[in-house]
Amino acid sequence: MKENGRDIVLLAHGDGGALTHELINNLFLCHFESNILKTLTDAAVFSINEGRMAITTDSFVVDPPFFPGGDVGKLAVCGTVNDLAVSGARPVYLTASFILEEGLPLADLESIVQSMAGACGVAGVEIVTGDTKVVEKGHLDKIFINTTGVGYIFPGVDLGYHRIKPGDKVLVNGSLGQHGIAVLCKRYGFDFAGQVMSDCAPLNGIISLLLKEIRGIKIMRDLTRGGLATTAKEIASACGLDIWLDENCIPVDAGVKGAAEMLGLDPLYLANEGKFMVIVTPEEAEKAVAVMQGHELGRDARIIGEVKPGKGNVYLSTSLGGTKLLDLMAGSPLPRIC
């Protein structure tokens, strides 16, 4: 995209005047398919159905904005869609607010917007309203995006810490740590054998299947910042029970494992953008794994642990036969991961 000979974002693109209108009409409306958005009124107006709704918001500041397997735009859609999905909701609408640095190439912005549109198409959601601001060069690192999402809670779904009991099984839908390693390698120029791709993906498809087939799901969480270990600790602390994880059962692919070992990182604390944890009744655990494995985002799903009586701790049974206490992540090894 090139506007009147200009190929970078200018301060005037955010002043609400002619260039802002050019940006909206020539870029955003070209890629975001929504009749609600096209009204360009001050607020998106839409009808709602009966039942409960969920709403969530998140801001995305990943560095670099383009990484193997995705970019900040795809991340901004998938991250908010996934927060709704693991809450038992069917995502419907998103908002998108862009804060841009003066001088950002318009081609980069268009690539990011195209990526957002693609992710919306896969997830089946619409961006129905948004905002654009531009700040002076040097006052921001290229582009930050905020997305807010709303969705309908599936009828009969009741997820929460209050439902977790001793004996429940802990599941994940696949290999951990890919997003964290992909962003880290791109940021610092590491070139490990076999490039690791981010797992960034909308999870609402696999989760809707799971909720349809499995009635015994107690809670779900996506494994973003802090990874599996931090999420497990948050759940254990909230319900006052212990979670025991089996290192031999936790999937980590060879590329992530090799890079993590070289960099001194623990894959259990690395960020993911297409993985989630499920806690389910023991009677339905195997069926839940089978349902997840039937979806392309759950091919490597498995049972990785169990809930036991306790005081809110997380223990890892290591491959060497020992036991390791897992706590919350203390200081991120990689800030600006999402």
Side-chain angles (χ1 to χ4, degrees):
M1 173 188 168
K2 197 168 186 177
E3 293 184 347
N4 299 330
R6 296 178 291 268
D7 57 5
I8 60 172
V9 171
L10 305 175
L11 283 174
H13 280 112
D15 67 6
L19 283 185
T20 301
H21 284 263
E22 284 186 19
L23 194 66
I24 292 171
N25 288 301
N26 297 344
L27 195 152
F28 295 120
L29 291 184
C30 284
H31 296 291
F32 294 153
E33 293 289 336
S34 171
N35 290 330
I36 299 173
L37 178 64
K38 288 176 181 174
T39 63
L40 296 180
T41 50
D42 284 339
V45 178
F46 51 86
S47 302
I48 60 172
N49 302 326
E50 291 183 358
R52 294 183 298 154
M53 298 194 74
I55 182 169
T56 186
T57 190
D58 207 344
S59 298
F60 298 86
V61 299
V62 64
D63 173 31
F66 296 92
F67 48 83
D71 57 50
V72 64
K74 182 179 181 182
L75 197 58
V77 171
C78 295
T80 295
V81 163
N82 293 346
D83 283 345
L84 290 170
V86 295
S87 302
R90 177 174 64 86
V92 182
Y93 297 127
L94 300 183
T95 73
S97 294
F98 297 81
I99 303 178
L100 309 174
E101 182 187 23
E102 179 188 18
L104 177 73
L106 282 169
D108 285 358
L109 178 59
E110 182 162 32
S111 178
I112 288 166
V113 170
Q114 287 176 318
S115 182
M116 294 179 75
C120 285
V122 174
V125 299
E126 290 182 39
I127 292 175
V128 293
T129 191
D131 183 51
T132 304
K133 296 291 190 300
V134 181
V135 298
E136 296 89 341
K137 190 171 182 60
H139 288 223
L140 175 77
D141 190 5
K142 303 177 186 69
I143 178 171
F144 293 168
I145 303 175
N146 173 273
T147 50
T148 296
V150 295
Y152 294 104
I153 298 292
F154 286 104
V157 169
D158 176 26
L159 306 179
Y161 302 117
H162 63 285
R163 295 194 59 206
I164 301 172
K165 306 291 184 188
D168 289 342
K169 300 296 185 182
V170 182
L171 286 57
V172 294
N173 65 313
S175 183
L176 303 179
Q178 292 163 312
H179 180 72
I181 291 296
V183 172
L184 186 150
C185 290
K186 180 66 176 178
R187 185 185 300 177
Y188 297 111
F190 297 138
D191 186 19
F192 297 107
Q195 187 181 48
V196 176
M197 307 286 284
S198 169
D199 59 343
C200 182
L203 292 167
N204 55 319
I206 184 174
I207 287 176
S208 65
L209 281 176
L210 203 55
L211 290 171
K212 181 180 178 182
E213 298 291 334
I214 308 296
R215 309 308 298 176
I217 296 174
K218 305 296 188 68
I219 196 169
M220 296 183 286
R221 291 282 303 274
D222 55 344
L223 305 176
T224 55
R225 288 176 297 175
L228 171 69
T230 296
T231 303
K233 176 61 180 176
E234 290 172 351
I235 293 174
S237 297
C239 67
L241 298 169
D242 288 348
I243 293 177
W244 284 76
L245 303 174
D246 185 341
E247 188 174 34
N248 289 322
C249 297
I250 298 173
V252 180
D253 69 29
V256 170
K257 189 175 294 184
E261 286 178 358
M262 291 183 67
L263 298 169
L265 300 173
D266 185 340
L268 302 190
Y269 286 93
L270 289 174
N272 311 270
E273 291 295 342
K275 299 300 182 307
F276 66 108
M277 172 195 288
V278 184
I279 295 183
V280 63
T281 58
E283 295 81 9
E284 292 195 280
E286 293 291 347
K287 181 180 178 182
V289 169
V291 170
M292 294 162 78
Q293 290 178 341
H295 191 280
E296 62 179 343
L297 297 181
R299 297 279 187 256
D300 205 19
R302 58 188 71 177
I303 298 170
I304 62 167
E306 182 176 333
V307 179
K308 296 184 179 183
K311 298 180 178 178
N313 294 315
V314 178
Y315 297 99
L316 179 70
S317 299
T318 71
S319 56
L320 299 176
T323 300
K324 180 179 178 182
L325 181 65
L326 300 179
D327 209 337
L328 298 172
M329 183 173 66
S332 171
L334 188 67
R336 294 185 58 188
I337 193 70
C338 60

